Amino acid sequence: FVKLYPNHEVVTYVNTSAAVKALSDIVVTSTNAVAVINSIPKETPILFGPDRNLGNYLQGLSGREMVLWDGACHVHEKFSVEKIAQLKKEHPNALLLAHPECKKPLLIMADFIGSTAALLKYSIQNEGNEFIVATEAGIIHQMQKASPGKVFIPAPPMDSTCGCNDCEFMKLNTLQKIYLTLKYEYPEV
């Protein structure tokens, strides 16, 4: 894909493999992506990957046309707009918080769109007491810890009645593996 666009600046999202990062000119987070994209000269074409949803969202914010890799995060792809709409009916005061890796119809419904850190900050600072959270469910623990009097409802996936949209890849990281990596510098990346 990169070879098809030889004169493009290759910008990739941080939640990628080391192999993808090795093909990248710039690696961004969802927090700094717009600023980084806006810092690239307008005459320089951009290839963005691996997430088309995040890429589409960033195109809208930056006004930059980008060639997007047709990939997406399995967690954010699975959210059910219909089930979230039903949750909104059941919890009319709940605010929908969405990560920009979500599909556009969900982002249109959202009361706030932001990076994981921005979602956490918003949930702390906002006076609302109920939030539907459309991103990897691991952040909900931090939200509850920071705002114990508030209710955080995980956005449900399409194929289940549970709010269990977890990232199986993020769950591969454990405290024991981090400890061993720090202590023995293994495995080498």
Side-chain angles (χ1 to χ4, degrees):
F1 186 66
V2 171
K3 288 180 182 177
L4 293 174
Y5 301 95
N7 299 321
H8 287 59
E9 190 84 5
V10 180
V11 180
T12 58
Y13 184 46
V14 69
N15 291 352
T16 62
S17 67
V20 170
K21 289 178 176 81
L23 297 173
S24 307
D25 296 308
I26 303 171
V27 178
V28 298
T29 67
S30 51
T31 300
N32 72 8
V34 173
V36 171
I37 289 166
N38 286 336
S39 75
I40 298 170
K42 296 235 184 271
E43 65 276 3
T44 303
I46 300 171
L47 183 149
F48 184 85
D51 192 280
R52 68 179 173 269
N53 296 325
L54 179 58
N56 281 320
Y57 179 74
L58 295 172
Q59 284 184 129
L61 291 181
S62 68
R64 293 291 299 268
E65 287 294 321
M66 298 185 285
V67 176
L68 305 178
W69 173 255
D70 191 22
C73 169
H74 71 96
V75 171
H76 295 92
E77 279 282 293
K78 291 179 186 175
F79 289 123
S80 168
V81 170
E82 294 79 15
K83 289 182 182 181
I84 292 170
Q86 182 60 40
L87 269 178
K88 293 276 285 173
K89 285 181 186 175
E90 295 168 12
H91 302 271
N93 295 322
L95 299 175
L96 175 57
L97 309 182
H99 192 279
E101 285 181 90
C102 294
K103 292 180 180 179
K104 190 171 186 173
L106 195 151
L107 295 179
I108 291 168
M109 293 173 58
D111 296 292
F112 181 78
I113 302 166
S115 66
T116 305
L119 296 178
L120 176 60
K121 183 177 179 182
Y122 184 86
S123 73
I124 293 168
Q125 294 178 344
N126 188 278
E127 293 180 13
N129 288 321
E130 260 187 313
F131 301 90
I132 299 167
V133 183
T135 194
E136 210 281 337
I139 190 61
I140 291 178
H141 172 73
Q142 293 299 320
M143 291 174 166
Q144 290 171 331
K145 191 172 152 184
S147 303
K150 296 180 179 184
V151 175
F152 298 96
I153 305 162
M158 290 179 271
D159 60 354
S160 174
T161 57
C162 71
C164 52
N165 239 3
D166 291 326
C167 178
E168 62 211 48
F169 302 109
M170 290 171 65
K171 301 302 183 240
L172 293 174
N173 297 315
T174 65
L175 287 175
Q176 181 181 12
K177 288 178 182 178
I178 293 169
Y179 169 78
L180 294 173
T181 300
L182 291 171
K183 184 170 183 175
Y184 300 110
E185 297 184 4
Y186 178 84
E188 185 173 333
V189 176

